[in-house]
Amino acid sequence: MATDQVPPIADELPTVEPETAPARVEDDGVHADDSGYRQPEVDADAMRTLLDGRYGEVRDLVRANLAEHAQILLDQEQMTTADFRERVRDVVVMMAGTGQTGMGFPEEYGGDIGASIAAFETLALGDLSVLVKVGVQFGLFGGAILQLGTKRHHDAHLADLVSGRTMGCFAMTESGHGSNVQALGTVATYDAEAQEFVITTPDDASRKDYIGNAAAHAELAVVFAQLEVGGERHGVHAFVVPVREDGRVLDGVRIEDCGPKMGLNGVDNGRIWFEGVRVPRTALLNQFAEVTPEGRYLSPIDNPNKRFFTMLGTLVQGRVCVGGAGINAAKVALTIATRYAVRRRQFEATSPDEEQVLLDYGMHQRRLLPLIARTYALHFAQEVVAGHLHEVFSGPGPIEEGSDEHARRMLESRAAGTKALGTWHATRTIQECREACGGAGYLSENRFAALKADTDVFTTFEGDNHVLLQLVAKGLLTDYAGEFEDMDQLGMARFVAGLAVETVVERTAVHKLVQSVRDLLPGGDTGDQEAGLLDPNYKLAMLRFREEHMIGGVARRLKRGIDQGANPGAVFSRVQDHVIAAARAHTERLVLEAFVAKTAALPDGELKVALNLLCDLHALTTIEADRAWFMEHGRLSSARSKAISREINALCRKVRPLAVDLVDAFGVPEEMLRSPELLGWPIGSDD
């Protein structure tokens, strides 16, 4: 399923402007021109306040910290890798001293989960090695101790890790297993006589790999290993394991530097082997399981798969953070490219006396403005996810079996989908913005080199995006059933095959939409092809129809293959592209719903008019990007497809005067933009 905003091949007839503004903005008090269209004016500060939301003060604290340490952007280019790693570590510790990194921990450590997400997202406006170092130290390492450990671990470690006095790492991924965490090879064997766990790396495929903080700074590691007690395996559990003391790697531990990377070279990624390393029984992070001194395994969650997924579910905060970081990195690229586009002149297109500003060209508008609209859409979708995370994990106590598991599964699914779309958006946006700045965008001082290199890995860490979308699809197909945790890909195929396909479709709550879409078009499919395009209900119905049809299609294909006696694994593999497409369609619908809900809740005024323009632009470019699918499935005529392209171009012309204010509202500190050649003067003119 395509998602890029492809330039139209439709004829470029102008859209006929309505005699009156759409009803939803009729009394907004926005200035009207002679054609009836009223061009809003955007107050960038007011829009920024809206985007910052309830955590505006937190975001401003992070912006101030970024500005104070702006020199690190230059250090990244000029220092050796070893020196830059130390510089990044120092900045992280200094930021910890301001309190911004302790917000995800209990109140005695400065905690507020929603605030911690806001702080992390905003940190992505600056150097991304600092961002990832913060994520490893306080999100992954600290989050594992907080969520998987109990009071004894909190008392022993949280104060020192929150302050940066103790650096740690999160040792989950292995060379042989990344996404398939249940199959990790590292083993933790309980020695009842010594009351110790023995941590062992049985082979090179089981070495811990790509582990942030491991190569130089970590003193402790949260190590994920297969727990073995009395010769019986109990699945993957987490242990606190010392790896260094006073800078010296401890006996039995072997650490290797991963070496130069595409980006993020301020983060010391390493590989770790354990050769019979002994840790006390209390090193087991025992929120969900315990081993008694005599060697009895106890857990409040009997089902081992449910126990495993409950454990992993508590770590969803990292996934939410990475998605938000990708969206915010895209904001930096768009701010630079948009500001450049209103300064840079090229060719005497409309006047013989002066070259035209880049952003006045229709193609340049097509390249940048839909990306701005999509960034706003993803920002509001991320706001919803972060809010859900705060609600789920800010309850009175730890998450246990019997708590609202459905809400947690919904959160995990939404976080997975939003992370995938947000990080793919960052990759595409940064590339488009680099190209939109021409050769100047290729210079390191203009930030695109670091942005491209440092964000590229976002699409694969905290979960490969395609694997995450399979998680989304599993929830859609099974409705987060009681058997959810037991299902691997084969289990999901068998589960769906046992249902009536109509049951799967009904569960999406978006069934019977064919007639609904038709009803939203004045005159039906054969009526006015220009009418109704700006109705948010029409656009939502189109995305809901696509989602429902795709989910039903996946269910039918799975059921047909199983009914024919085919191997469930082979069946799933054959329909995997449809699985991913359905999950992506579902998440696209959630993103648009979040945007529509946000604008609908605003009071009438110019901000609402501007956001409605962006919402329309985002929705129509989403439909246009997948127009082939909609036409194949009878939801879009060729005439209406052309009308959508014309409307997008008209929306771009309306958004064009607002573009600089819209990107200034992202609140990227001037010190983080650098780019003096791009932003400092009107290059290409004699002004």
Side-chain angles (χ1 to χ4, degrees):
M1 183 178 67
T3 56
D4 290 350
Q5 284 76 40
V6 181
I9 58 175
D11 53 305
E12 293 299 323
L13 296 176
T15 297
V16 178
E17 300 291 357
E19 291 298 320
T20 59
R24 63 179 175 177
V25 297
E26 190 159 339
D27 296 316
D28 288 338
V30 181
H31 174 72
D33 62 25
D34 293 338
S35 71
Y37 170 68
R38 295 170 294 176
Q39 181 67 45
E41 294 182 3
V42 172
D43 181 334
D45 289 336
M47 185 69 85
R48 190 185 109 176
T49 298
L50 177 68
L51 292 173
D52 282 356
R54 62 182 289 194
Y55 295 110
E57 290 185 5
V58 170
R59 295 183 190 275
D60 282 341
L61 169 64
V62 178
R63 290 184 180 109
N65 285 338
L66 289 173
E68 181 180 348
H69 299 292
Q71 173 64 28
I72 198 167
L73 297 178
L74 194 61
D75 295 338
Q76 183 265 335
E77 298 168 8
Q78 297 178 344
M79 286 183 168
T80 65
T81 297
D83 288 345
F84 186 55
R85 286 176 173 180
E86 295 306 314
R87 172 78 171 121
V88 168
R89 181 190 186 282
D90 290 344
V91 169
V92 168
V93 173
M94 284 187 281
M95 286 184 173
T98 70
Q100 86 170 54
T101 58
M103 294 174 182
F105 296 91
E107 282 189 19
E108 58 265 36
Y109 306 103
D112 179 322
I113 291 174
S116 73
I117 300 295
F120 189 84
E121 291 171 352
T122 310
L123 196 57
L125 303 177
D127 177 78
L128 295 175
S129 285
V130 171
L131 172 92
V132 172
K133 190 89 168 174
V134 165
V136 169
Q137 170 70 12
F138 306 103
L140 295 178
F141 170 63
I145 289 178
L146 175 64
Q147 299 293 348
L148 303 181
T150 52
K151 188 175 186 301
R152 69 188 184 206
H153 304 105
H154 301 167
D155 292 345
H157 302 298
L158 287 187
D160 285 342
L161 76 84
V162 167
S163 67
R165 291 189 296 271
T166 297
M167 301 297 286
C169 64
F170 182 84
M172 176 183 281
T173 298
E174 296 177 353
S175 300
H177 291 96
S179 298
N180 188 7
V181 177
Q182 277 183 293
L184 293 178
T186 303
V187 179
T189 305
Y190 184 62
D191 179 345
E193 185 176 347
Q195 295 191 23
E196 293 175 331
F197 293 103
V198 183
I199 314 294
T200 303
T201 304
D203 50 50
D204 280 347
S206 302
R207 70 186 181 187
K208 299 300 179 181
D209 213 342
Y210 324 116
I211 308 301
N213 269 5
H217 296 139
E219 299 165 50
L220 296 176
V222 171
V223 178
F224 289 81
Q226 301 286 352
L227 173 59
E228 185 174 300
V229 181
E232 182 180 354
R233 289 283 180 97
H234 295 278
V236 173
H237 291 66
F239 304 82
V240 179
V241 181
V243 294
R244 280 188 184 86
E245 185 174 334
D246 298 326
R248 180 184 68 85
V249 177
L250 295 176
D251 293 342
V253 178
R254 180 157 60 100
I255 296 179
E256 210 175 73
D257 198 312
C258 285
K261 308 186 293 289
M262 283 179 63
L264 299 174
N265 283 302
V267 181
D268 51 313
N269 293 88
R271 304 182 180 102
I272 312 175
W273 291 258
F274 300 96
E275 300 169 0
V277 174
R278 288 180 171 268
V279 294
R281 184 182 63 86
T282 54
L284 171 66
L285 294 175
N286 62 330
Q287 180 63 245
F288 301 108
E290 178 70 277
V291 176
T292 65
E294 63 274 16
R296 289 178 58 232
Y297 179 81
L298 304 173
S299 174
I301 305 175
D302 292 333
N303 185 298
N305 281 331
K306 180 172 288 189
R307 184 166 59 242
F308 171 77
F309 283 106
T310 300
M311 176 185 73
L312 286 193
T314 64
L315 305 176
V316 70
Q317 182 171 340
R319 195 165 288 161
V320 175
C321 284
V322 172
I327 296 164
N328 276 267
K331 293 176 184 177
V332 178
L334 283 166
T335 301
I336 295 169
T338 303
R339 287 197 188 177
Y340 179 65
V342 298
R343 292 177 174 272
R344 174 70 167 174
R345 294 181 180 273
Q346 202 77 182
F347 302 111
E348 297 87 354
T350 57
S351 168
D353 302 320
E354 187 177 41
E355 292 184 291
Q356 183 161 301
V357 169
L358 289 182
L359 201 56
D360 286 341
Y361 286 100
M363 189 64 232
H364 216 77
Q365 293 174 13
R366 266 289 190 144
R367 296 173 71 182
L368 295 183
L369 301 185
L371 293 176
I372 293 174
R374 187 170 178 82
T375 301
Y376 270 77
L378 287 165
H379 175 97
F380 294 129
Q382 172 71 9
E383 188 174 78
V384 172
V385 176
H388 287 176
L389 178 77
H390 183 81
E391 292 169 7
V392 169
F393 286 93
S394 295
I399 292 183
E400 299 174 349
E401 187 174 26
S403 63
D404 192 348
E405 293 185 21
H406 188 272
R408 289 193 290 117
R409 296 304 172 221
M410 292 284 286
L411 168 63
E412 290 164 22
S413 175
R414 188 155 191 161
T418 306
K419 184 266 181 183
L421 264 59
T423 54
W424 273 327
H425 173 69
T427 297
R428 175 173 182 260
T429 299
I430 292 164
Q431 177 64 28
E432 191 67 63
C433 290
R434 205 294 299 161
E435 293 180 25
C437 292
Y442 200 64
L443 302 179
S444 292
E445 70 173 350
N446 295 327
R447 287 221 60 190
F448 291 111
L451 284 170
K452 278 173 59 68
D454 290 347
T455 60
D456 195 74
V457 75
F458 286 13
T459 60
T460 50
F461 73 29
E462 287 300 313
D464 173 276
N465 284 352
H466 289 94
V467 175
L468 293 183
L469 288 180
Q470 287 186 183
L471 171 67
V472 175
K474 184 169 79 166
L476 293 173
L477 290 165
T478 64
D479 194 35
Y480 312 95
E483 300 90 344
F484 184 93
E485 289 85 356
D486 293 328
M487 292 180 201
D488 56 12
Q489 294 175 357
L490 308 188
M492 182 176 73
R494 294 189 185 102
F495 181 88
V496 173
L499 296 175
V501 172
E502 292 75 14
T503 302
V504 177
V505 174
E506 289 287 331
R507 281 176 170 169
T508 68
V510 292
H511 52 288
K512 299 179 182 177
L513 282 165
V514 177
Q515 186 62 43
S516 298
V517 174
R518 183 176 292 115
D519 290 345
L520 286 166
L521 306 181
D525 288 338
T526 60
D528 182 357
Q529 295 299 321
E530 302 285 344
L533 292 180
L534 300 184
D535 183 347
N537 292 321
Y538 162 71
K539 296 187 285 286
L540 279 170
M542 288 286 278
L543 295 197
R544 286 171 177 159
F545 171 81
R546 180 180 63 172
E547 174 190 355
E548 175 267 323
H549 194 284
M550 287 183 170
I551 293 169
V554 169
R556 284 188 290 273
R557 287 174 172 88
L558 287 171
K559 184 171 178 60
R560 183 167 59 245
I562 299 281
D563 287 348
Q564 292 172 353
N567 179 279
V571 172
F572 185 87
S573 182
R574 284 201 299 268
V575 306
Q576 205 164 16
D577 56 332
H578 296 279
V579 170
I580 298 301
R584 196 161 186 164
H586 169 73
T587 309
E588 289 277 14
R589 190 258 300 174
L590 292 178
V591 170
L592 180 57
E593 281 189 343
F595 203 165
V596 169
K598 189 72 176 183
T599 58
L602 292 175
D604 289 344
E606 302 204 10
L607 286 185
K608 183 168 186 171
V609 176
L611 285 175
N612 274 328
L613 289 174
L614 289 179
C615 189
D616 289 336
L617 181 56
H618 167 67
L620 290 180
T621 51
T622 299
I623 293 170
E624 184 193 53
D626 211 16
R627 70 167 102 197
W629 188 94
F630 287 107
M631 294 176 79
E632 284 176 354
H633 293 82
R635 291 300 88 222
L636 201 62
S637 67
S638 58
R640 194 163 185 82
S641 175
K642 292 178 181 180
I644 285 174
S645 292
R646 289 194 295 272
E647 190 61 58
I648 289 171
N649 289 341
L651 286 166
C652 284
R653 291 190 289 273
K654 293 173 182 176
V655 171
R656 158 63 182 96
L658 313 176
V660 172
D661 288 325
L662 290 171
V663 296
D664 284 352
F666 292 150
V668 183
E670 293 293 325
E671 297 87 348
M672 294 297 99
L673 294 175
R674 295 184 69 192
S675 311
E677 186 179 348
L678 294 184
L679 306 180
W681 55 84
I683 304 166
S685 73
D686 296 328
D687 293 351

